[in-house]
């Protein structure tokens, strides 16, 4: 059981689930709605994490990645694959519990993540599943609100850019091991120096969208702070190679804070009930 839990990539699984549940609360979902959102996202993230470790088991053994539970012998690849399928099946009704449009949006994102695990990660288009997966999350939340309003385009675009930045940042620590096992996604083609230089760019793009989608002083200050962090990372990267990556993580944290702050603007005005829920939440 411990091996199975470790194989689900627990840190990103918990982080994404907590973020989307908090976004649902900020957008105006009640306690039951937030619980449904959290359960759907958790099942989807579990399925994706387990699928990743099951599919990569042979590559991980070849690269001697003993930190992986399957390679370390904590759990068998077959059991991980079975858990992935069970979680995916559970994800379908949990997603559609928020409505047909919301369920479809979430399952499109989960499907993109599975496509990444099943082969897209080794292509130059490896960033696309991250963009689709992250972009689908605010759409899932918005479509689940009363009145089923469409999501605000700039929040979806910001989430997609955040996903692209996450892809670059996530690939960097495992770059050498992935190359040994034959994975040639976009980050591997760019190389570590370009990854460190490019990672802040989509994150800054997300900051700009979140800052000016509904302009206010806090958003402008966040954008200035994010730009300063990214600039400092680029300037100090020659002497301290880890600095650009640390700066990118800090910019991502600002983006997440802005995304949660913009929760009440996640959906286009379209129903009296949505506007009332947003005012109450604000």
């Amino acid at each position: 059981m411990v091996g199975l839990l470790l194989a689900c990539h627990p840190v990103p699984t918990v982080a994404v689930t907590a973020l989307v549940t908090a976004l649902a609360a900020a957008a105006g979902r009640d306690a039951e709605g937030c619980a449904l959102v959290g359960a759907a996202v958790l099942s989807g993230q579990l399925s994706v994490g387990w699928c990743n470790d099951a599919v990569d088991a042979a590559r991980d053994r070849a690269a001697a990645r003993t930190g992986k539970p399957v390679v370390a012998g904590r759990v068998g690849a077959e059991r991980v694959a079975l858990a992935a399928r069970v979680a995916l099946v559970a994800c379908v009704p949990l997603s559609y519990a928020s409505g047909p449009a919301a369920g479809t949006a979430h399952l499109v994102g989960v499907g993109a993540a599975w496509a990444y695990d099943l082969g897209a990660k080794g292509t130059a288009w490896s960033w696309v599943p991250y963009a689709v997966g992250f972009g689908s999350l605010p759409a899932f939340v918005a479509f689940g609100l009363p009145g089923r309003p469409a999501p605000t385009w700039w929040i979806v675009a910001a989430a997609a850019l955040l996903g692209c930045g996450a892809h670059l940042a996530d690939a960097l620590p495992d770059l050498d091991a992935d190359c040994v096992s034959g994975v040639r996604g976009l980050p591997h083609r760019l190389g570590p120096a370009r990854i460190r230089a490019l990672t802040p760019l989509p994150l800054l793009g997300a900051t700009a969208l979140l800052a000016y989608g509904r302009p206010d002083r806090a958003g402008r200050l966040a954008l200035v702070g994010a730009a300063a962090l990214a600039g400092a990372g680029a300037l100090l990267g020659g002497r301290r190679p880890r600095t650009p990556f640390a700066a990118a993580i800090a910019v991502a944290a600002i983006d997440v804070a802005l995304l949660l702050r913009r929760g009440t603007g996640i959906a286009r005005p379209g129903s009296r009930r949505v506007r009332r829920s947003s005012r109450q939440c604000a």
Side-chain angles (χ1 to χ4, degrees):
M1 183 59 70
V2 172
L4 196 60
L5 290 174
L6 292 174
C8 78
H9 298 218
V11 173
T13 293
V14 172
V16 172
T17 301
L19 170 62
V20 182
T21 304
L23 186 60
R29 291 294 295 267
D30 58 18
E32 181 182 354
C34 290
L36 287 173
V37 167
V41 174
L42 178 60
S43 61
Q45 292 299 305
L46 287 172
S47 77
V48 171
W50 282 326
C51 176
N52 181 276
D53 270 27
V55 170
D56 287 352
R59 292 195 190 102
D60 291 339
R61 290 192 187 98
R65 298 175 71 174
T66 54
K68 292 286 189 176
V70 174
V71 178
R74 289 177 172 265
V75 65
E78 298 80 7
R79 180 164 294 183
V80 175
L82 176 60
R85 291 192 291 269
V86 171
L88 181 62
V89 170
C91 183
V92 175
L94 289 171
S95 298
Y96 280 113
S98 292
T104 300
H106 185 232
L107 291 175
V108 165
V110 173
W114 272 68
Y116 176 85
D117 289 345
L118 295 175
K121 69 183 297 180
T123 73
W125 300 96
S126 60
W127 59 274
V128 174
Y130 270 80
V132 173
F134 274 67
S136 72
L137 294 173
F140 172 45
V141 172
F143 281 129
L145 291 171
R148 314 301 184 201
T152 307
W153 73 266
W154 48 270
I155 287 188
V156 173
L161 287 171
L162 191 57
C164 292
H167 176 42
L168 293 173
D170 184 56
L172 189 58
D174 297 325
L175 213 59
D176 293 337
D178 284 343
C179 288
V180 169
S181 60
V183 176
R184 289 281 294 165
L186 177 64
H188 310 86
R189 297 164 195 253
L190 292 173
R194 289 179 180 174
I195 291 174
R196 292 189 182 96
L198 292 175
T199 296
L201 298 182
L203 300 176
L204 282 173
T207 309
L209 285 171
L210 293 169
Y212 286 99
R214 290 175 63 185
D216 60 14
R217 185 170 180 271
R220 291 190 291 272
L221 289 175
L223 182 58
V224 170
L229 285 168
L235 289 173
L236 297 175
R239 287 176 293 175
R240 298 180 178 180
R242 293 180 180 271
T243 302
F245 180 71
I249 296 301
V251 174
I254 291 175
D255 290 347
V256 169
L258 277 177
L259 188 60
L260 292 175
R261 190 171 183 273
R262 294 294 191 251
T264 54
I266 195 171
R268 300 176 192 171
S271 85
R272 193 171 301 168
R273 287 177 296 172
V274 172
R275 289 194 293 271
R276 183 160 57 246
S277 295
S278 296
R279 285 198 300 270
Q280 290 170 352
C281 183

